[in-house]
Amino acid sequence: MIQSLHEFALRGARQWPQATCLVAKDRHLSYGALWDEIERHGAGLAALGLVPGERVGIWLDKRVETITAFFGASLAGGVFVPINPVLRPQQVHHILTDCNVRILITSRDRLQSLGALQDEQGGSFPDLRQVVLVDPREGDSWPDGPAVCGWAEVQQAAVPGARPLPRSIDLDMAAILYTSGSTGRPKGVVLSHRNLIVGGQSVSQYLENGPHDRILSALPLSFDAGLSQVTTAFCVGARLVLLNYLMARDFKRLCQREEITGITGVPPLWFQIAELDWSDGAGESVRYFANTGGHMPRPLLGRLREVFPKAKPYLMYGLTEAFRSTYLDPAEVDRRPDSIGKAIPNAEILVVNGEGQLCAPGEEGELVHRGALVSLGYWNDPERTAERFKPAPGRPGEIPVPELAVWSGDIVRRDEEGFLYYVGRRDDMIKTSGYRVSSTEIEEVLYATGLVEEAVALGLPHPTLGQGIAVVAKPKGGGPLAEADLLAACRRDLPMYMLPALFVERGELPRNPNGKIDRPGLAAEFAKAFMPSKEQDEGDIACTRP
């Protein structure tokens, strides 16, 4: 019985030792060779003093070392924290300090950016005691910072098996994924070994994955859906092909070269893929494509079916707090393309009204996820955990210990046949390009410029991104809104996917009876800002500016 994440890789080494498990650029690694790397890395982390339960930050692009670090941390009893490589140093500083990362695995250029941040802003890393560089040079150091060593030093620091490594059980922490909340800075979702193991087993079951599959890793590994590609592949002995996505043609080239059979993506990626010329048959090997992170428009779905003529489409819904929640059976896609489907294996999805009662068919309510995929809550944040993780409704009152479920904040409805349909969000979360974005985080950057008196970041319907980001602001001093300067500040402090695409100047922002800014009113006023200006043919996404 598998009870720790790294046992996926160990089982692969025993059952398929010569089979290729990982492809990174031109490097192909077998399950047996990868396990050797994982064993050395786990022993090396233990030799560095990693204590069970301590966090290991991994701020890298997709490469063999990244995957090795995930499973090596698990083997050593640590908790790995994947950090999106596109994040800015200020955001990485928040993650490292928020969950008290002890060891950081990264590259020289990323380390230099953290050093520059510390010099410029005085930010410290009180819990960080060791940095491991995958591309070290002689003399690398961090003045007045933690010790720095190279990847090879860690791999050679201890002989595998020389000392007993800690034993984990399935309810122990395995990973922390940072996701934006509806307010404030990103919060860390704590995943257990059980969450990751059951997630891999569940997803691979409905996607019918097996050792024959070659799965393309196109999403960031800091995403729940991106990390799911790793667990799904290793669960069944499949081959995982890493792609540091640069351009759509790189995607196509890798599909053809590696004869990819399975792909999971988000709508913005699919739009780019659909625009390529696939007439050379490069998509012939794909047997399924899966969508997450936002609604897939019907014209786009139709085009992807042409691109991948032998593939089944899987339309999915998930939230980081429960890893994956629903999928639509490909056999139902033509009948109900707007549905998010039904619960994945080993999960139950409930629709609950404001009184905590289960909704009748057709009645709108909050999506509540219960089962083995419910995470352990938000790291060091009992208040927000209590808001989102609450007792599952409908459980027998005679059971004295309540079962916690994830209350998603998403409003859905269920039809007479049990299929679910997404209606909208309960809070002000922005969901763009497959990312969940906090409006507050964007607003903090705008306020820090000193150029605005008030500002609101809104997620508005967008034909390709899910939601586009617009800012409605009152300039300080009554002057014209300094759009170029505000955008420059956002470019400096935020990743590309969080950049506003539209700025609107207002002398005063509307308020509700409680004196708060009327966000819903503004969202309704500018709801069509990014949408086609009139009824147009599919594919025409010309936008108007209010």
Side-chain angles (χ1 to χ4, degrees):
M1 180 182 70
I2 289 180
Q3 60 187 32
S4 299
L5 177 66
H6 58 269
E7 292 178 47
F8 272 160
L10 175 59
R11 183 179 65 180
R14 290 173 174 171
Q15 293 189 8
W16 311 284
Q18 303 303 319
T20 299
C21 71
L22 198 60
V23 178
K25 295 184 178 179
D26 294 326
R27 187 178 179 188
H28 289 62
L29 209 65
S30 69
Y31 273 97
L34 178 64
W35 179 250
D36 289 341
E37 296 278 334
I38 292 170
E39 274 200 301
R40 285 196 295 272
H41 190 67
L45 291 177
L48 288 176
L50 184 71
V51 173
E54 288 187 332
R55 275 67 62 203
V56 179
I58 304 165
W59 191 25
L60 292 171
D61 59 358
K62 293 177 190 171
R63 52 199 299 163
V64 170
E65 292 88 348
T66 307
I67 304 300
T68 302
F70 289 176
F71 289 93
S74 171
L75 180 61
V79 179
F80 67 92
V81 185
I83 302 173
N84 194 328
V86 305
L87 293 185
R88 300 295 192 247
Q90 294 92 334
Q91 296 165 311
V92 176
H93 176 270
H94 165 69
I95 293 173
L96 296 179
T97 54
D98 183 67
C99 69
N100 319 98
V101 165
R102 292 292 194 183
I103 298 175
L104 173 64
I105 302 173
T106 189
S107 60
R108 295 184 76 251
D109 59 339
R110 292 184 173 89
L111 177 62
Q112 290 171 0
S113 70
L114 290 179
L117 174 69
Q118 183 169 335
D119 293 340
E120 294 171 3
Q121 302 184 13
S124 61
F125 302 85
D127 300 296
L128 189 61
R129 62 169 178 247
Q130 183 73 55
V131 174
V132 179
L133 298 179
V134 296
D135 55 351
R137 294 180 186 173
E138 187 174 353
D140 281 333
S141 66
W142 189 345
D144 302 320
V148 178
C149 67
W151 178 269
E153 294 178 63
V154 176
Q155 297 295 84
Q156 298 165 3
V159 177
R163 67 168 72 184
L165 293 175
R167 175 178 173 270
S168 300
I169 65 171
D170 64 353
L171 290 181
D172 286 337
M173 290 190 299
I176 301 178
L177 300 186
Y178 272 80
T179 179
S180 290
S182 59
T183 58
R185 292 180 177 271
K187 55 190 183 294
V189 177
V190 184
L191 301 177
S192 67
H193 288 274
R194 183 188 188 196
N195 294 149
L196 295 174
I197 292 167
V198 173
Q201 293 169 339
S202 179
V203 174
S204 63
Q205 179 179 333
Y206 69 76
L207 292 180
E208 301 178 315
N209 290 118
H212 58 280
D213 274 314
R214 295 172 294 280
I215 299 173
L216 184 61
S217 170
L219 299 176
L221 299 179
S222 55
F223 270 24
D224 59 328
L227 184 56
S228 178
Q229 305 309 293
V230 180
T231 58
T232 299
F234 282 39
C235 172
V236 298
R239 178 182 303 189
L240 183 68
V241 180
L242 302 179
L243 170 63
N244 287 302
Y245 178 70
L246 297 175
M247 303 182 71
R249 63 173 177 264
D250 296 323
F251 182 104
K252 176 185 173 183
R253 175 184 54 81
L254 210 52
C255 280
Q256 190 168 32
R257 190 189 79 181
E258 298 296 332
E259 297 183 316
I260 295 299
T261 62
I263 309 167
T264 297
V266 294
L269 172 62
W270 291 128
F271 273 104
Q272 295 182 58
I273 299 310
E275 292 175 355
L276 295 178
D277 179 7
W278 292 79
S279 60
D280 57 0
E284 290 283 338
S285 63
V286 178
R287 70 168 188 84
Y288 74 84
F289 61 91
N291 179 65
T292 188
H295 173 66
M296 177 176 283
R298 296 187 192 185
L300 176 59
L301 176 59
R303 169 58 180 153
L304 291 177
R305 284 172 143 177
E306 296 173 358
V307 169
F308 308 119
K310 299 178 181 178
K312 294 180 180 179
Y314 287 84
L315 307 182
M316 306 190 301
Y317 162 93
L319 60 157
T320 308
E321 292 84 353
F323 214 51
R324 184 66 44 220
S325 295
T326 72
Y327 81 99
L328 182 64
D329 189 314
E332 297 289 340
V333 168
D334 290 325
R335 294 180 58 202
R336 49 187 105 243
D338 295 326
S339 174
I340 60 173
K342 296 183 178 181
I344 67 172
N346 207 4
E348 183 179 15
I349 301 300
L350 309 173
V351 183
V352 183
N353 63 26
E355 288 71 47
Q357 304 298 316
L358 298 182
C359 291
E363 180 185 358
E364 294 182 1
E366 184 171 358
L367 184 149
V368 177
H369 178 126
R370 63 174 293 261
L373 289 168
V374 173
S375 66
L376 301 181
Y378 301 126
W379 175 263
N380 197 30
D381 196 339
E383 182 177 346
R384 286 198 286 186
T385 298
E387 292 174 356
R388 186 59 60 91
F389 295 82
K390 296 181 288 188
R395 313 311 299 157
E398 293 80 5
I399 301 177
V401 179
E403 172 197 345
L404 293 184
V406 177
W407 295 62
S408 69
D410 287 336
I411 304 302
V412 300
R413 62 179 174 83
R414 192 192 306 270
D415 67 17
E416 293 283 353
E417 297 179 66
F419 288 90
L420 295 160
Y421 297 81
Y422 180 85
V423 176
R425 285 222 38 95
R426 191 185 62 187
D427 54 26
D428 295 320
M429 175 64 60
I430 299 171
K431 199 161 190 178
T432 181
S433 299
Y435 290 86
R436 295 172 65 189
V437 173
S438 165
S439 58
T440 303
E441 192 173 4
I442 299 172
E443 292 160 8
E444 288 176 351
V445 172
L446 299 173
Y447 283 123
T449 66
L451 299 174
V452 297
E453 186 172 322
E454 289 187 313
V456 172
L458 303 170
L460 304 177
H462 192 286
T464 61
L465 302 179
Q467 288 185 316
I469 300 174
V471 169
V472 183
K474 176 183 179 180
K476 184 168 287 187
L481 191 65
E483 179 177 338
D485 293 334
L486 292 172
L487 185 58
C490 290
R491 288 186 184 279
R492 184 187 66 240
D493 295 334
L494 298 171
M496 292 296 293
Y497 66 83
M498 292 180 68
L499 298 183
L502 175 66
F503 287 86
V504 179
E505 179 180 341
R506 277 291 178 85
E508 295 292 339
L509 299 187
R511 299 185 181 278
N512 61 26
N514 294 327
K516 296 182 179 180
I517 295 174
D518 185 6
R519 290 174 180 268
L522 286 171
E525 180 180 352
F526 297 109
K528 297 182 180 180
F530 296 122
M531 301 304 290
S533 56
K534 60 182 179 179
E535 292 297 327
Q536 297 170 327
D537 293 335
E538 63 183 65
D540 187 347
I541 57 171
C543 297
T544 59
R545 292 171 64 89

